[in-house]
Amino acid sequence: MPRYALLILPAFNRVYGESSVRLTRAELAVFSARALDGEVLGSEETRIGGVPYVTFETARPLSEPDIHLLSNLSSVYAVFGLEGDLLRPLGMHSRDRLSSDLITIQKYAGKTNEHFTKLLLNVTALAGDKGLGDGLQVFDPMCGRGTTLNQALMYGYDAYGMDVDGKDFEAYTGFIKTWLRNKRLKHTAETVPVRRERALVGRRLNVTFGLSKEAVKAGDVQHLAVVNADTLKSREFFKPRSFDVLATDAPYGVQHGSKGGAGLSRSPLELLARAVPGWAELLRPGGAMGIAWNTYGGKSEELARILTDAGLQVMDYPDFEHWVDQAIVRDIIVARKPA
């Protein structure tokens, strides 16, 4: 049977790097079940030349589209065919269409690891009918300083976000405007107040950009919008059935808690119980919702019940649980909206 090897991309975060092989194997299982033509029969960690690889077998040789899909695995640096003891490089072709510093340049306390953000977006999109296809509309209802939004933009998708923290909104607004100017991408960007019955209810950043003047003239543009307001009011800012993918990293209840009830709460479940029904209305039929959360703040069974009660179907996905620090063990749950 055909055998392949994935070279793991070194992680700047040492702790995440220690989990990257196991998480890659779990992510590969999702790709196999949801997207690949050639089924992955099994995977394992293998050290080749002292370097960790994920090796696996398939029922039949991987097609070129399969290899292109695997190029988007969150922690993969290169894909090889295994021929005895030799590695044969296979042509990588990721979705990325913007420079990687869009993801890596921001540095601040509490930033989610970029590899994990990509993993969350990948496995969530693959649960939906469109998979990792073209033209997705991605929404992060607790976007912070925009790591998930930036990953969606990297893939060529339109990105929409919402966050109640005014400082995070201003920081991301300043960053993305500066980044677009420095890259000399043709764009428009404006921040406007949002009013309801003359009362100020939030602020909204609207960005449209293309890779060149010619692309903009041809209508090949991407859209980014971020609202500075409470996520519990997301239905007031976005129309039902607007998004193909909703992916978010819930508050961990360590640095800033969550604002789902009276005062701050260590558990995000109170916030999610109130927010998820509204978020589900924003998903298109056949779309998918992925939530990362700190398992110290609630069990997966509790979160699954919240998603099910909102009319979503929880996916039977591999275990993505991994240790972050002494106060955080992070996991992912994904659910799809019936078509």
Side-chain angles (χ1 to χ4, degrees):
M1 285 183 287
R3 298 180 64 226
Y4 299 90
L6 306 173
L7 177 60
I8 302 302
L9 186 68
F12 292 110
N13 183 301
R14 177 189 59 81
V15 174
Y16 189 83
E18 292 173 353
S19 302
S20 61
V21 169
R22 181 175 60 81
L23 292 174
T24 298
R25 293 179 62 194
E27 187 181 8
L28 177 63
V30 174
F31 271 71
S32 174
R34 301 291 303 176
L36 299 181
D37 291 330
E39 179 186 1
V40 174
L41 302 179
S43 67
E44 61 183 0
E45 178 179 357
T46 306
R47 299 193 76 83
I48 302 174
V51 177
Y53 289 76
V54 170
T55 57
F56 61 96
E57 295 181 342
T58 57
R60 57 180 180 273
L62 292 177
S63 64
E64 186 172 330
D66 282 345
I67 296 168
H68 289 177
L69 273 169
L70 291 179
S71 301
N72 297 294
L73 285 163
S74 60
S75 293
V76 166
Y77 187 62
V79 182
F80 299 92
L82 274 172
E83 298 177 359
D85 295 331
L86 300 179
L87 294 168
R88 178 170 57 87
L90 302 177
M92 298 277 283
H93 186 78
S94 74
R95 291 200 61 92
D96 292 350
R97 55 184 270 158
L98 301 170
S99 61
S100 61
D101 60 355
L102 175 61
I103 298 291
T104 61
I105 198 170
Q106 287 180 293
K107 304 294 182 184
Y108 54 88
K111 181 183 178 182
T112 304
N113 180 276
E114 297 95 345
H115 297 179
F116 177 77
T117 297
K118 188 173 182 178
L119 186 154
L120 172 63
L121 181 59
N122 282 347
V123 299
T124 304
L126 288 174
D129 288 352
K130 295 183 179 180
L132 282 173
D134 296 329
L136 297 189
Q137 309 287 304
V138 177
F139 179 47
D140 182 350
M142 296 185 288
C143 65
R145 298 195 186 185
T147 306
T148 302
L149 305 181
N150 291 342
Q151 180 58 58
L153 295 175
M154 286 285 291
Y155 274 178
Y157 300 151
D158 291 338
Y160 301 84
M162 193 165 187
D163 203 277
V164 72
D165 191 309
K167 291 183 179 179
D168 282 351
F169 176 83
E170 291 166 4
Y172 183 65
T173 296
F175 165 75
I176 198 66
K177 288 182 177 180
T178 300
W179 188 87
L180 289 166
R181 285 196 302 269
N182 289 344
K183 295 299 178 181
R184 297 184 179 179
L185 296 180
K186 182 68 174 177
H187 69 280
T188 61
E190 62 173 355
T191 303
V192 297
V194 181
R195 301 183 184 277
R196 297 283 187 274
E197 298 178 352
R198 299 184 179 181
L200 182 66
V201 294
R203 293 177 292 172
R204 182 175 177 127
L205 168 69
N206 296 310
V207 176
T208 300
F209 70 93
L211 300 185
S212 65
K213 291 181 179 179
E214 294 73 22
V216 172
K217 289 180 180 179
D220 181 12
V221 296
Q222 290 177 248
H223 301 283
L224 166 69
V226 183
V227 174
N228 176 209
D230 191 337
T231 191
L232 297 178
K233 299 178 180 179
S234 57
R235 281 282 283 100
E236 297 179 18
F237 295 89
F238 300 101
K239 296 179 180 179
R241 302 186 176 195
S242 292
F243 306 117
D244 303 294
V245 173
L246 187 154
T248 196
D249 203 1
Y252 294 153
V254 176
Q255 287 189 334
H256 46 68
S258 67
K259 299 181 180 180
L264 295 182
S265 167
R266 185 173 179 81
S267 170
L269 292 186
E270 181 183 357
L271 171 63
L272 292 173
R274 298 179 64 193
V276 164
W279 296 349
E281 292 182 22
L282 298 178
L283 274 179
R284 291 175 177 143
M289 181 184 301
I291 300 173
W293 88 105
N294 181 9
T295 61
Y296 287 147
K299 298 180 179 179
S300 60
E301 295 83 0
E302 297 173 285
L303 188 47
R305 190 177 306 114
I306 291 172
L307 294 168
T308 301
D309 289 346
L312 305 177
Q313 300 171 341
V314 176
M315 302 296 293
D316 182 17
Y317 266 8
D319 178 17
F320 287 107
E321 183 175 296
H322 60 285
W323 190 82
V324 176
D325 62 31
Q326 61 183 1
I328 301 171
V329 174
R330 185 166 52 196
D331 201 354
I332 293 173
I333 190 168
V334 177
R336 71 186 309 277
K337 186 172 184 176

